[in-house]
Amino acid sequence: MHIPAYAHDAIRAAALPSMPTSRQVGGLDCCLCGKPFGKDLAAIPLGPTPTSGLFGCRPCLTRSVSRARRARDAARTHDAERARAEFTAWTPVREGHLARLGSVQQAAEAVAGLARDTDVEALRVAWLLVSLESAYAWVPDTPEPPASVGEADLEMKDEAFRLDLAMTEAREAVAERLAYHLLNEAQPEEPEMCEEFECPDDCSGRHDSAHIDCGPDAVFENLAGHGITLEQPDPESLAPRVRALLGRAEGQEKHLPLPDIEKWAPVVLEHFGIDTDDTDVLVSAAAVGLVADAWRHGPLDVIHAADDGPSDGEVFAQSVDLYRRARAALAVAKADGPEALIAFVAVASNLDLPWAGGSRFALRTVVGSTAEFVQHVDDRVWFTAEVMREQGWRAGLLHRAASAVFKAPAHFGMPGWPGAVAMAMERLALLDRSGVPDALADLKAVEVALLASPDRLGADALDWISHQALFRGRAA
C-alpha cells in the first residue's frame, strides 16, 4: 500500500501516543488499532525499514490517509484565504507608498526646474528646497510585503532610487542658484569680477557657472584659508579627456569634431521628415539617436543574445524609458551645458537598476563582465557632449538625430512612430489573440499606450508583440 508523504508523518505520530508494545514492534499487532495480524489482516510497514519499526493494517491506514488528506486540503484552503487577505491588505499599502514616492519625485523635478528659472526669486527657491526636504523626510520607510506575497517589491526600490536621483538633481540646482545669487548680491554696483572674466561691454554684472571657472586648484587654496590643508592631485591624475582640453595651447586652432555637421545634417534629416527648425522634433530625434548609439547598439547586442540576457520586450521597454531620460537631459543641456548628459549616463549604465516595464532584469545579473558596455555608453555620450562643447548645442542634436534616422527611423519618439503603430495594430487585429497577455486584450487601449507610453504595457506584453513581428522593420 502506498502511503503519501503528506500522510506518513501524521500516521506515525498517531501511532506513538505512548510506548509501543513488543507485539507492535515485532510486527504481530497493528500499531493503530491493536488487532493481531493474520491471514485476513496483512501487516504494512511504516518504517523506518520494511522489516523493523511499526506496522499498521490496511483499514487503519486507509482511514488515516483520508484524514491526513482532508487536513492537508483544509490547511491549503486556509493558507490561500490568508494569502488573499494579506494581498488585499498589502495592495493599498503598496500603492499608497508608490504614490507618495511618485508625488515627492515630481515635486523634486519641479523644484529643480524652478531653481533654473531666473524669473523665480532666489529666496522663494530656498523655501522650495526647505519644503521639499521636509516632504522627503516624511516619506516613510519602504514597507515590507507579507511572506505570502513573495520577494521584496523591486518596483518600490526602483521608484525610491528615482526619487533619490530627483532629490540630488534638485539639491544641485538649488545649490548652484543660491551660490551664484549670493556672489552676485555681494558684488558692488560696478562688479570687479567683470574685468577678471573679460565680460562684454553689455554685461549685466550677473554671473553663473557658464561665466565663472576658478580652475582645478582654487578650491584647495580657499580651504587652506580656513585651516584645511589637503594634498592636491597631480595634473597627470586628471582624466585623459580633461587633460586634452586643458592642454590646448592658447591661440591654437579650435578642433571641430564634426566641422560640416551644420551643412549636411539638415539636408539629410529633412529628407527623412525631420524638421530641423522645430526644436521639439529635433530634440526628440536626437534622444532616439543617443539611446541607439550609446546604449542599444554595441555591447548590449552581446548581452541581449546571452542565455541570461534580457528579452526583446525588456529591451523594448527599457529603450523607451531611456529615450525619455535622454530627451530630458538633452533639453536641460541647452541651458546647463553638456554636463547635463551625465544624468542619462548614470541611469543607462547603472548595473543594479531594474529595467522598465515591470522587468526584474538588471545588468548586474548577466554572467560576465559589463565593463565594455559601461565604457561604451560613457564614450558615446562624451562625444555628444564634446560636439556640443565645441560646436554648440544644436550641432550635438543634429549629430544624434542623424544617427536616429539611420538606426531607428521608426522608433518611439520619431515622426514615423505613429505610422508604425497604425500598421502594427492592423496586423494585431488579424491575429489569434487567445492566450495573449492581459495588457493586450483591449485593442484601443493598446493603441493608446503604444502611441503615448509603450513601456506601460509591460515587458511581457512587449515581448509577445516583438515575437509576432508587429513592428517589422523597426529598429529596437
Side-chain angles (χ1 to χ4, degrees):
M1 177 180 178
H2 172 67
I3 301 176
Y6 63 81
H8 197 275
D9 290 342
I11 293 173
R12 285 184 58 85
L16 294 172
S18 60
M19 183 67 67
T21 67
S22 59
R23 288 183 58 83
Q24 289 173 341
V25 175
L28 300 177
D29 291 344
C30 173
C31 65
L32 295 171
C33 66
K35 293 182 180 179
F37 296 121
K39 180 179 179 181
D40 298 326
L41 195 64
I44 299 174
L46 295 176
T49 72
T51 59
S52 65
L54 297 176
F55 300 84
C57 65
R58 183 176 296 274
C60 288
L61 293 180
T62 300
R63 288 192 297 271
S64 297
V65 169
S66 297
R67 284 196 298 268
R69 183 183 299 113
R70 288 194 297 270
R72 180 202 62 179
D73 294 343
R76 286 181 173 177
T77 301
H78 177 268
D79 290 344
E81 292 174 351
R82 180 173 57 83
R84 282 194 294 269
E86 289 179 347
F87 181 79
T88 300
W90 164 248
T91 298
V93 174
R94 176 184 183 276
E95 295 303 322
H97 188 72
L98 287 174
R100 175 170 285 276
L101 290 176
S103 62
V104 179
Q105 177 189 341
Q106 292 172 3
E109 293 169 350
V111 169
L114 291 172
R116 300 185 183 99
D117 186 353
T118 55
D119 292 336
V120 181
E121 295 179 359
L123 182 59
R124 294 181 65 87
V125 170
W127 275 114
L128 281 170
L129 180 63
V130 171
S131 59
L132 174 64
E133 291 289 359
S134 296
Y136 181 70
W138 276 85
V139 173
D141 294 337
T142 302
E144 291 294 333
S148 61
V149 172
E151 299 178 354
D153 197 313
L154 293 180
E155 184 178 358
M156 287 198 294
K157 290 185 177 180
D158 185 16
E159 290 303 312
F161 176 75
R162 294 171 191 265
L163 171 58
D164 289 342
L165 287 180
M167 288 297 298
T168 299
E169 181 182 2
R171 290 162 178 156
E172 290 177 349
V174 172
E176 180 175 333
R177 172 70 184 281
L178 297 183
Y180 289 104
H181 171 77
L182 182 61
L183 287 174
N184 288 322
E185 289 298 312
Q187 295 303 310
E189 293 184 1
E190 296 181 0
E192 301 174 358
M193 286 196 298
C194 289
E195 295 183 4
E196 182 178 348
F197 298 147
E198 299 180 359
C199 295
D201 295 337
D202 59 350
C203 176
S204 65
R206 297 302 196 194
H207 302 87
D208 57 29
S209 58
H211 304 99
I212 303 175
D213 184 354
C214 301
D217 302 325
V219 65
F220 300 101
E221 298 171 0
N222 293 338
L223 289 173
H226 293 273
I228 302 174
T229 303
L230 300 175
E231 183 178 353
Q232 299 185 29
D234 296 330
E236 290 301 314
S237 65
L238 296 173
R241 293 169 180 167
V242 178
R243 289 205 306 271
L245 293 174
L246 295 178
R248 183 181 297 152
E250 185 176 354
Q252 182 178 344
E253 183 178 354
K254 189 177 183 179
H255 169 67
L256 300 181
L258 300 170
D260 298 322
I261 188 73
E262 295 277 2
K263 182 186 300 183
W264 62 262
V267 177
V268 172
L269 293 174
E270 288 172 10
H271 174 76
F272 286 96
I274 304 293
D275 182 0
T276 56
D277 292 328
D278 189 326
T279 301
D280 287 340
V281 172
L282 185 58
V283 170
S284 186
V288 173
L290 184 62
V291 173
D293 276 336
W295 182 81
R296 177 62 188 90
H297 297 283
L300 185 64
D301 290 323
V302 178
I303 295 173
H304 184 200
D307 292 338
D308 56 351
S311 67
D312 292 339
E314 288 171 320
V315 173
F316 193 165
Q318 184 69 355
S319 69
V320 171
D321 182 71
L322 289 179
Y323 154 77
R324 296 194 198 94
R325 297 177 184 276
R327 197 179 193 284
L330 289 169
V332 173
K334 181 178 183 180
D336 292 3
E339 291 75 16
L341 299 183
I342 295 175
F344 171 77
V345 176
V347 177
S349 61
N350 190 301
L351 301 182
D352 298 306
L353 181 67
W355 281 14
S359 170
R360 291 178 178 269
F361 176 80
L363 289 164
R364 182 75 68 187
T365 64
V366 177
V367 176
S369 174
T370 52
E372 182 182 359
F373 169 80
V374 174
Q375 188 63 51
H376 177 84
V377 173
D378 184 63
D379 288 343
R380 296 302 185 274
V381 177
W382 175 84
F383 184 79
T384 300
E386 184 69 3
V387 172
M388 288 184 176
R389 187 176 293 110
E390 297 294 349
Q391 296 178 241
W393 180 69
R394 176 178 166 84
L397 297 184
L398 291 173
H399 169 56
R400 286 310 179 199
S403 298
V405 298
F406 290 112
K407 293 185 177 181
H411 194 280
F412 178 73
M414 295 294 283
W417 178 248
V421 170
M423 293 184 64
M425 294 306 300
E426 291 177 3
R427 294 167 181 162
L428 179 58
L430 298 175
L431 292 177
D432 176 13
R433 298 195 305 279
S434 58
V436 300
D438 293 341
L440 302 179
D442 185 342
L443 291 184
K444 184 61 178 177
V446 171
E447 183 176 12
V448 171
L450 286 174
L451 288 172
S453 183
D455 53 333
R456 195 174 69 204
L457 293 172
D460 292 340
L462 293 178
D463 197 46
W464 188 91
I465 288 175
S466 299
H467 289 172
Q468 301 303 318
L470 298 184
F471 289 98
R472 287 194 290 270
R474 182 189 72 84

